[in-house]
Amino acid sequence: MQLLLVVVGAIAVTAVAHRRGMQPSLVVVVLAAAVSFIPGLPRFELEPELILSVVLPPLLYSAALNFSVPAFTRNLRPILALGVGMVVVSTLATGAVGWWIVPGLALVPALILGAVVAPPDAVAGLAVGRELGLPKRLMAILTGESLVNDAAALTIFSLTVAAVTGDHTLFENPVLLFVYSAVVGSVVGFVLGLIVHWIRMRVQDSGLETALGLVVPFAAYLLAEEVHASGVLAVVMAGFVLGHKNTEAGFATRLQARQVWSTLDVLLEAFVFAYMGLQCRFVFAELHPENWVKFALAAAAILLTVLIVRPLWMTVAYGRNWLTRKLRKREPLPWKYFAVISWMGMRGVVTLAAAAGVPESVPERDTIQALAFVVAVGTLLIQGPTLPFLIRKLDITDPAEETEEEAANRKAREISMNAVKATMIDLYNQPHPGVSPEMLEKLKDRYVAAAQARRAMDDDMDSRVQSLRELTVSVRRAMLAAQRRALAKARDDGDLDDETVRRELDRLDYEEAAAFS
């Protein structure tokens, strides 16, 4: 009953925040924290393993499903520098500061704290970026980073927690354990993604395919954890594989999955923010009154470290690279990109979920959770409202990109129609039994007219031409399949960006649903 009330309340607050133009994550966590101070309110707490194995996998999987593998490949260096390099540096820097300044916090628990607060939450930042029209390359880098940094931080988190609890005995060397965890976790996710895709292609039932997709993140996580590998990386890799091969699934499956995962994202994110907010009073109650001043200073130091380590890392990692490329007369990323990336470091759902997932056996668990709460809320309060101002001040939006987007849409339609023409030629050369050239000519005229008008083909044929209608359905589906294959090939060859292809595939899905449902 308590769980149901938390979920319903979180969704209601999220809806109100959306209508008022506020950041739902910040509103939910602050209101839930205020509610936690109601006298006599009992503590609502779940098992840490439940948070890590039930809440996080579907959130990471959903994000991976919607990311472009070609865009990831093209921007691999900056994504890895931010998603892995910055996470490691942030974990070590925050852990060192925590070990030095937080009373009673040992080194390994301090590194747990560092891993918890290392990954920025891209949801809020990317929403602002889309609204203000950030360039596509910058959006691709930030989206890719959000997936990689979650996986890297949670892998480090699992390893540091294991060092405290003694769960891992596979390798004594932490570097070997990290490499094993990352490589094997990725392999498990990749293989599972291929197996699920093979099954999905043979099920041919949208309901069963969607249900199978809901099982994948949990299966990937548990399988990888069973062999002491990174469950998080397994989830992300499985999402990459199935998202990339999504063009081969049926239109009904894509339409269903799109709505299911969108709903599940809203539900889980609202729950995590509400859950962590409700822990606020109980977490801070564990701190002794005489330590409040020391805790406030330590929290301020940790928050400051989190805020400045990202710009510093950007300067170190990219400053020399930018100068080198300039001297070689190669086009580097614009400095304005660096400024926006440096300030897009709000912490959110992964930080709060990881903090909630710290086992009770970890020393100073309550201190770690309290500091993580301060960092998450502090970055949302400081960077959240100032990020839109920074983007507008830098004038980083690219007006020419709107024209480029229109050109890309036209190119996608051209590729799609070329696939239709090629399919019609094949039908002329190898017609269906009993089909005359005149009938195919009439069918071609009907289809081209419908495609140009952007509407479904007229279905006003009477019973005398029922056989023609059945042939129309068969041929039209073959054409739609050819269009999708052509768009997927153009994406893989780099002729179209993933966002354009997704928009065109959405249009074809809705067109097919309207015509054949």
Side-chain angles (χ1 to χ4, degrees):
M1 185 62 183
Q2 284 182 322
L3 178 62
L4 182 61
L5 289 174
V6 171
V7 171
V8 171
I11 292 173
V13 173
T14 300
V16 173
H18 270 302
R19 289 195 174 194
R20 299 291 178 89
M22 305 166 73
Q23 284 191 11
S25 54
L26 181 59
V27 175
V28 170
V29 76
V30 169
L31 282 181
V35 168
S36 72
F37 285 92
I38 295 177
L41 186 75
R43 184 171 188 175
F44 171 62
E45 191 171 18
L46 300 174
E47 289 295 324
E49 294 79 9
L50 199 62
I51 298 291
L52 293 175
S53 60
V54 175
V55 176
L56 278 180
L59 285 172
L60 296 172
Y61 178 75
S62 175
L65 276 178
N66 294 316
F67 189 57
S68 165
V69 173
F72 182 88
T73 305
R74 286 194 297 270
N75 298 288
L76 187 61
R77 288 187 64 182
I79 287 174
L80 291 181
L82 287 165
V84 178
M86 197 215 68
V87 165
V88 173
V89 170
S90 181
T91 299
L92 294 175
T94 308
V97 171
W99 180 41
W100 175 54
I101 204 167
V102 178
L105 192 64
L107 178 58
V108 177
L111 290 175
I112 293 176
L113 170 63
V116 166
V117 301
D121 182 18
V123 174
L126 289 174
V128 172
R130 289 191 197 96
E131 184 180 341
L132 297 178
L134 284 180
K136 287 183 179 179
R137 187 181 182 191
L138 180 55
M139 293 291 288
I141 291 172
L142 292 169
T143 306
E145 180 211 354
S146 71
L147 284 171
V148 175
N149 67 21
D150 289 346
L154 290 172
T155 301
I156 296 172
F157 170 79
S158 299
L159 295 177
T160 50
V161 167
V164 173
T165 60
D167 290 341
H168 275 290
T169 57
L170 198 60
F171 295 108
E172 294 294 333
N173 189 314
V175 176
L176 282 177
L177 187 57
F178 179 83
V179 172
Y180 169 85
S181 181
V183 172
V184 175
S186 299
V187 171
V188 168
F190 182 79
V191 172
L192 180 65
L194 293 179
I195 292 172
V196 170
H197 177 67
W198 184 86
I199 296 172
R200 187 171 65 177
M201 290 296 95
R202 284 151 182 81
V203 170
Q204 299 295 317
D205 184 296
S206 58
L208 291 176
E209 290 177 54
T210 303
L212 179 63
L214 289 171
V215 175
V216 171
F218 307 107
Y221 185 89
L222 293 175
L223 281 173
E225 290 293 323
E226 191 68 24
V227 293
H228 303 289
S230 172
V232 174
L233 280 171
V235 170
V236 171
M237 184 58 71
F240 274 166
V241 171
L242 290 170
H244 188 67
K245 292 184 174 293
N246 206 28
T247 55
E248 301 174 28
F251 76 95
T253 301
R254 279 192 298 273
L255 291 175
Q256 278 189 9
R258 191 177 302 127
Q259 298 302 321
V260 167
W261 286 110
S262 176
T263 302
L264 199 59
D265 284 346
V266 172
L267 178 67
L268 292 176
E269 287 176 9
F271 169 74
V272 169
F273 282 110
Y275 176 76
M276 194 61 192
L278 289 172
Q279 306 305 308
C280 181
R281 186 191 78 181
F282 306 99
V283 168
F284 286 103
E286 299 295 331
L287 303 175
H288 300 292
E290 62 272 12
N291 291 337
W292 274 107
V293 175
K294 291 182 179 179
F295 175 82
L297 292 173
I302 295 294
L303 177 58
L304 183 63
T305 302
V306 169
L307 289 173
I308 66 173
V309 74
R310 188 174 175 92
L312 287 176
W313 171 250
M314 288 293 297
T315 303
V316 171
Y318 289 108
R320 179 173 57 83
N321 190 37
W322 188 89
L323 180 60
T324 302
R325 289 189 179 185
K326 204 72 172 175
L327 291 173
R328 293 177 182 172
K329 302 188 182 303
R330 293 170 59 192
E331 186 63 27
L333 283 174
W335 70 268
K336 291 182 179 181
Y337 283 28
F338 296 157
V340 172
I341 292 173
S342 297
W343 198 239
M344 197 172 281
M346 292 90 75
R347 269 56 177 177
V349 63
V350 174
T351 289
L352 295 180
V358 176
E360 295 182 5
S361 57
V362 173
E364 300 295 328
R365 174 180 183 250
D366 293 316
T367 302
I368 292 171
Q369 291 184 332
L371 290 170
F373 183 86
V374 170
V375 168
V377 175
T379 53
L380 286 171
L381 284 172
I382 295 170
Q383 294 178 317
T386 56
L387 182 61
F389 172 78
L390 176 65
I391 294 173
R392 292 191 184 98
K393 196 72 176 174
L394 291 174
D395 192 23
I396 198 172
T397 56
D398 189 0
E401 208 165 76
E402 187 173 341
T403 306
E404 293 173 3
E405 185 174 310
E406 292 175 1
N409 289 335
R410 286 195 298 271
K411 185 175 181 180
R413 300 251 159 73
E414 182 182 346
I415 291 172
S416 182
M417 289 310 300
N418 286 340
V420 170
K421 293 175 184 176
T423 305
M424 288 302 301
I425 291 172
D426 290 341
L427 287 172
Y428 271 113
N429 293 332
Q430 295 180 340
H432 286 256
V435 178
S436 66
E438 292 78 12
M439 186 179 291
L440 274 175
E441 187 68 33
K442 184 185 295 186
L443 180 61
K444 183 194 75 171
D445 293 341
R446 280 180 176 273
Y447 185 81
V448 172
Q452 290 173 344
R454 299 286 186 83
R455 59 186 174 81
M457 184 184 296
D458 294 334
D459 286 329
D460 57 356
M461 293 173 285
D462 56 25
S463 58
R464 291 176 298 176
V465 290
Q466 182 62 30
S467 60
L468 178 61
R469 185 184 185 282
E470 291 174 357
L471 176 64
T472 300
V473 170
S474 174
V475 171
R476 193 172 180 194
R477 280 188 166 145
M479 289 177 175
L480 287 166
Q483 288 174 278
R484 292 189 180 101
R485 287 194 298 271
L487 290 168
K489 185 177 185 303
R491 176 201 62 190
D492 296 342
D493 292 343
D495 295 332
L496 290 174
D497 65 89
D498 198 69
E499 188 176 340
T500 301
V501 172
R502 286 181 192 276
R503 279 198 302 269
E504 186 66 10
L505 287 175
D506 287 348
R507 186 185 69 78
L508 294 176
D509 287 345
Y510 284 114
E511 180 182 326
E512 187 170 357
F516 302 133
S517 59

